[in-house]
Amino acid sequence: NTSSENQTTEPVVKTYTIDQFMNTTSITGSDFSPDNSKILYSSNQTGVYNAFEVPVTGGEPRQLTNSTDNSVFVISYFPKDERILYSSDKGGNEITHLYMRSPDGTVKNLTPEPEAKASFAGWSHDQSSFFFLSNKRDPKYFDLYEMDLQTLTPKLVMKNEQGLDVAAISRDKKHIALVKSINTNSSDMYLYNMETKQLKKLTDHKEDIKYAPETFTPDNRQLYFLTDEGGEFMELKSYDLATGNISNVEKADWDIMYTYFSRDGKYRVTAINNDARTEVKVYDTATGKQIQLPDVPAGDITGVNFSDDENMMAFYVNSPTSSSNLYVHDFEDKETKQLTNTMNPDINQEDLVKTEVVRYKSYDGMEIPALLMKPKSAGPKNKVPAVLWIHGGPGGQTRLNYSPLMQYLVNHGYAVLAVNNRGSSGYGKTFFAADDQKHGDVDLKDVIEAKKYLASTGYVAEDKIGIMGGSYGGYMVLAGLAFTPDEFAVGVNLFGVANWLRTLKSIPPYWESFREALYKEMGNPETDSAALYNKSPLFFAHQIKKPLMVLQGANDPRVLKVESDEIVEAVKKNNVPVEYVVFDDEGHGFVKKENQIEGYSAILAFLDTYLKGKPTPANSGSQK
Ligand SMILES: CSCC[C@H](NC=O)C(=O)N[C@@H](CC(C)C)C(=O)N[C@@H](Cc1ccccc1)C(=O)O
């Protein structure tokens, strides 16, 4: 980087507090009201997510729900009236229920079975009902139900006794497309006929191929599906229900992530994972041509949603330097309006840093993609400490999104390199499978090599590189500290796996359809116990000698709190600094703003102490 090489004086960058960073609002979801005058969305403006609606002409949003504890995630308005449907769990326990809010503010739990998890599966095209999945009959499997909107009584439409996952329902309610995971690199597609109750397997293959049903065509004649058959990336094909013929629909140089049609099929949306950026294409299905997307600020367009009359399109725009904002485009008058302004006005976007996609060679020559954020003050004369960020998984990917935590760390003088180590999704099936059964080994080596890359930038202090990550990424933090104790100066583990034997034995019952696939990738706790023991940092905690911070949600159903309790206790025995922050009202990830503020500022204080040598924080660990 020439500008940093020539730098002699440090540019003046305003630093912001965590409160200022978190005073930016996160919003998600969108649906047009039945009269197309408003858009429904979820916002964490009040500290937890609540339902809001905003006029399509712009103006003040109106808050519809008043939750102060559990987040409310909107699904949609009812098709013909302004009742809304939303999903919520309790303190992050992931036992989601479906709720109906009426315009008078009253709320009804439509899936009241306390232990059962329910999720929305789409409105029926005739707008008389909606479909949902629930494991109330058998905790292991999700059956498909249809809820009549008049009576609000659910009817079982497909009993799922074979560990299948519902992927799409045809508009004529005759067919359900399902997927069955074989392993994390391979799956099959099935078609269930709701009239004959026959289940038909559509795919037959010996080698690893992923088949993922996406949507039925609006005329109900074809099933669109994604597959990596014959190539590295997921491409879109169609299966003709009458003939069984398969045709190619769309292909890119990267994975196609998803595709769907507007209500009457005038438009089709495709999203491509283009080197960690979301590239959206909208097709006019009559001409087959792509429509020109509205002129909006630089960033990724996501969450595209059409009004039922197909005259308007709602979408989000976000970039690494700008939080998501909701827009609406009117196809008739060709006007585009920004409906929200989520960024804290105190923050000057010029003070934030852009994210650069970089690549480096790993120990065996494999090219590893990563996302780099360089503090404005960094240069050869001002070498800065750095943090390697490792994403969740197995098989996740850090994408080019706005991250208040990353911007906060960079704003406070840390370079951040988010490593998409081998095993990450988005870079082809060979790269994705390259960590199978080699977790905590080859992927960790990629992360260690990332340090050399950071050193090569000329502006990072090589002895001040920490490792931080969430969930599977938290496992990598612990693995890095335990298996390569001299490589990283500090570790920040957010709800990471410490003991794979226990985690894999205690996965939630509703992951049953994915259990075998997960065991094939990670190892089976009954038959591969020695290998799992050897890759579990808990059993090697005595080797950890660098400062460790652990953050954990008490209600996490995926990585149980005991994982963090035990690693904290074990590492404390080494007389190593250990800080432990537990949030009693969070699950697998922290969604409440006050917790994010507490957790993220504790992370900065920890890094400042052990990477920058600032005085030790007074409070070394908390329980909320
Ligand atoms: C945040 S990317 C996670 C992508 C991954 N996809 C498929 O494997 C995923 O969803 N992982 C789930 C576990 C999976 C559904 C079995 C997950 O919660 N991963 C945790 C780590 C973990 C892995 C296995 C068992 C418990 C926890 C994570 O978020 O990294």
Side-chain angles (χ1 to χ4, degrees):
N1 183 325
T2 12
S3 65
S4 64
E5 275 161 23
N6 298 334
Q7 196 177 299
T8 47
T9 50
E10 289 176 30
V12 181
V13 180
K14 188 173 169 196
T15 52
Y16 298 99
T17 64
I18 189 60
D19 292 87
Q20 285 175 307
F21 270 106
M22 298 317 295
N23 208 3
T24 287
T25 303
S26 294
I27 59 175
T28 179
S30 73
D31 187 50
F32 285 90
S33 59
D35 66 358
N36 295 326
S37 68
K38 290 173 290 196
I39 296 177
L40 177 71
Y41 64 99
S42 305
S43 159
N44 74 347
Q45 190 181 309
T46 61
V48 298
Y49 283 91
N50 269 296
F52 284 74
E53 60 184 7
V54 62
V56 294
T57 48
E60 262 316 290
R62 186 164 84 100
Q63 188 177 341
L64 299 178
T65 58
N66 295 297
S67 179
T68 51
D69 44 15
N70 298 307
S71 278
V72 162
F73 291 105
V74 302
I75 295 168
S76 102
Y77 289 102
F78 274 50
K80 292 176 182 156
D81 62 74
E82 291 198 4
R83 283 174 294 173
I84 66 164
L85 197 60
Y86 69 81
S87 167
S88 194
D89 72 1
K90 295 265 176 285
N93 69 357
E94 300 188 21
I95 303 298
T96 44
H97 288 243
L98 299 176
Y99 296 86
M100 177 186 78
R101 178 199 181 270
S102 297
D104 67 3
T106 53
V107 170
K108 182 178 163 71
N109 183 353
L110 300 179
T111 56
E113 299 77 17
E115 308 298 324
K117 179 175 166 72
S119 52
F120 181 72
W123 297 99
S124 66
H125 193 65
D126 62 17
Q127 303 189 321
S128 67
S129 62
F130 69 82
F131 294 97
F132 69 98
L133 298 159
S134 167
N135 64 344
K136 67 180 170 184
R137 182 190 58 81
D138 179 344
K140 290 201 288 207
Y141 296 129
F142 291 96
D143 295 329
L144 183 68
Y145 295 82
E146 186 174 8
M147 180 84 78
D148 179 84
L149 298 190
Q150 294 292 328
T151 60
L152 293 177
T153 34
K155 184 180 83 184
L156 180 64
V157 292
M158 198 204 69
K159 207 190 246 190
N160 176 12
E161 289 172 312
Q162 300 182 47
L164 302 170
D165 291 313
V166 170
I169 302 163
S170 65
R171 283 166 166 74
D172 60 6
K173 296 194 199 177
K174 285 194 181 147
H175 291 103
I176 303 171
L178 301 120
V179 64
K180 186 166 175 60
S181 300
I182 301 166
N183 60 55
T184 46
N185 309 304
S186 193
S187 52
D188 278 315
M189 288 195 306
Y190 289 77
L191 193 64
Y192 179 75
N193 185 314
M194 288 204 247
E195 286 168 349
T196 63
K197 312 277 181 228
Q198 296 287 302
L199 183 69
K200 185 169 153 190
K201 188 168 177 238
L202 303 183
T203 44
D204 187 21
H205 52 109
K206 293 212 165 48
E207 66 280 44
D208 283 347
I209 302 174
K210 276 188 208 158
Y211 293 99
E214 282 292 289
T215 181
F216 289 92
T217 51
D219 64 7
N220 300 301
R221 290 156 81 154
Q222 321 237 349
L223 171 65
Y224 275 19
F225 64 97
L226 294 171
T227 180
D228 57 12
E229 182 180 351
E232 278 289 317
F233 293 97
M234 296 294 263
E235 60 183 282
L236 186 64
K237 300 195 179 198
S238 80
Y239 171 89
D240 187 286
L241 269 56
T243 64
N245 289 343
I246 288 178
S247 341
N248 297 329
V249 179
E250 195 178 354
K251 193 177 166 134
D253 292 337
W254 300 93
D255 277 337
I256 294 184
M257 296 191 286
Y258 53 80
T259 200
Y260 53 87
F261 290 92
S262 56
R263 178 173 159 79
D264 289 321
K266 182 168 181 185
Y267 299 108
R268 182 171 64 81
V269 181
T270 283
I272 294 157
N273 182 352
N274 184 338
D275 211 3
R277 177 172 275 120
T278 304
E279 186 191 327
V280 158
K281 294 182 177 177
V282 180
Y283 295 93
D284 180 331
T285 55
T287 62
K289 296 218 166 80
Q290 244 178 280
I291 64 162
Q292 203 188 328
L293 290 171
D295 204 10
V296 287
D300 286 1
I301 291 183
T302 60
V304 175
N305 206 355
F306 297 89
S307 56
D308 278 358
D309 63 8
E310 301 179 321
N311 287 334
M312 280 187 285
M313 172 172 103
F315 58 94
Y316 282 97
V317 180
N318 102 89
S319 78
T321 54
S322 151
S323 50
S324 273
N325 273 308
L326 182 61
Y327 287 73
V328 65
H329 177 75
D330 189 319
F331 288 108
E332 285 177 342
D333 63 19
K334 306 218 173 343
E335 262 198 44
T336 307
K337 218 177 231 83
Q338 181 175 346
L339 299 178
T340 59
N341 207 340
T342 52
M343 204 76 186
N344 179 357
D346 288 358
I347 295 182
N348 178 353
Q349 270 178 255
E350 294 298 309
D351 292 330
L352 303 183
V353 303
K354 296 207 165 75
T355 306
E356 191 191 346
V357 176
V358 298
R359 288 184 153 74
Y360 62 87
K361 287 255 169 10
S362 191
Y363 68 99
D364 58 353
M366 191 180 273
E367 191 171 73
I368 306 299
L371 311 182
L372 177 65
M373 295 169 87
K374 169 183 177 280
K376 297 204 181 215
S377 59
K381 297 211 162 85
N382 179 38
K383 292 200 176 189
V384 292
V387 173
L388 294 162
W389 170 260
I390 320 300
H391 60 70
Q397 180 191 30
T398 299
R399 322 240 20 248
L400 279 162
N401 294 327
Y402 180 71
S403 163
L405 173 58
M406 298 308 155
Q407 286 289 356
Y408 174 58
L409 295 180
V410 178
N411 184 249
H412 285 261
Y414 293 88
V416 175
L417 185 70
V419 180
N420 282 327
N421 49 267
R422 70 191 67 192
S424 303
S425 44
Y427 305 100
K429 66 180 174 191
T430 306
F431 191 83
F432 181 74
D435 67 338
D436 289 3
Q437 302 271 348
K438 296 182 203 142
H439 305 88
D441 174 14
V442 291
D443 47 5
L444 181 58
K445 287 183 181 141
D446 292 342
V447 178
I448 292 168
E449 293 299 314
K451 285 176 47 197
K452 289 190 194 143
Y453 171 79
L454 279 177
S456 77
T457 64
Y459 59 76
V460 169
E462 284 170 65
D463 56 338
K464 291 183 179 149
I465 301 178
I467 177 170
M468 172 162 102
S471 194
Y472 186 85
Y475 160 67
M476 291 279 279
V477 170
L478 297 175
L481 297 188
F483 303 138
T484 56
D486 296 311
E487 291 290 351
F488 305 100
V490 297
V492 178
N493 157 31
L494 296 109
F495 45 89
V497 178
N499 176 354
W500 280 110
L501 285 162
R502 176 180 41 222
T503 290
L504 292 170
K505 274 185 199 156
S506 59
I507 60 168
Y510 48 82
W511 279 3
E512 184 62 24
S513 65
F514 195 62
R515 189 167 56 84
E516 274 307 314
L518 180 67
Y519 286 2
K520 281 188 189 132
E521 166 149 12
M522 296 299 310
N524 183 322
E526 302 301 337
T527 53
D528 301 317
S529 56
L532 287 169
Y533 179 95
N534 285 326
K535 62 176 74 160
S536 293
L538 183 65
F539 306 116
F540 301 87
H542 55 279
Q543 295 174 185
I544 293 182
K545 53 185 186 189
K546 294 293 167 57
L548 170 67
M549 173 172 223
V550 178
L551 298 99
Q552 174 74 40
N555 307 322
D556 191 335
R558 302 175 182 230
V559 177
L560 305 180
K561 180 171 166 283
V562 61
E563 293 277 302
S564 292
D565 293 346
E566 288 186 3
I567 195 77
V568 164
E569 279 321 301
V571 179
K572 273 185 182 163
K573 291 195 184 118
N574 307 344
N575 284 324
V576 165
V578 183
E579 293 182 25
Y580 190 24
V581 180
V582 177
F583 296 113
D584 285 340
D585 49 358
E586 298 280 11
H588 198 67
F590 312 139
V591 289
K592 294 194 174 78
K593 255 192 203 183
E594 59 170 325
N595 294 337
Q596 292 171 342
I597 290 170
E598 183 184 332
Y600 298 169
S601 53
I603 290 173
L604 182 69
F606 174 82
L607 294 175
D608 281 353
T609 302
Y610 298 108
L611 288 183
K612 286 190 180 167
K614 288 191 181 171
T616 317
N619 181 1
S620 61
S622 71
Q623 184 102 18
K624 214 184 132 267

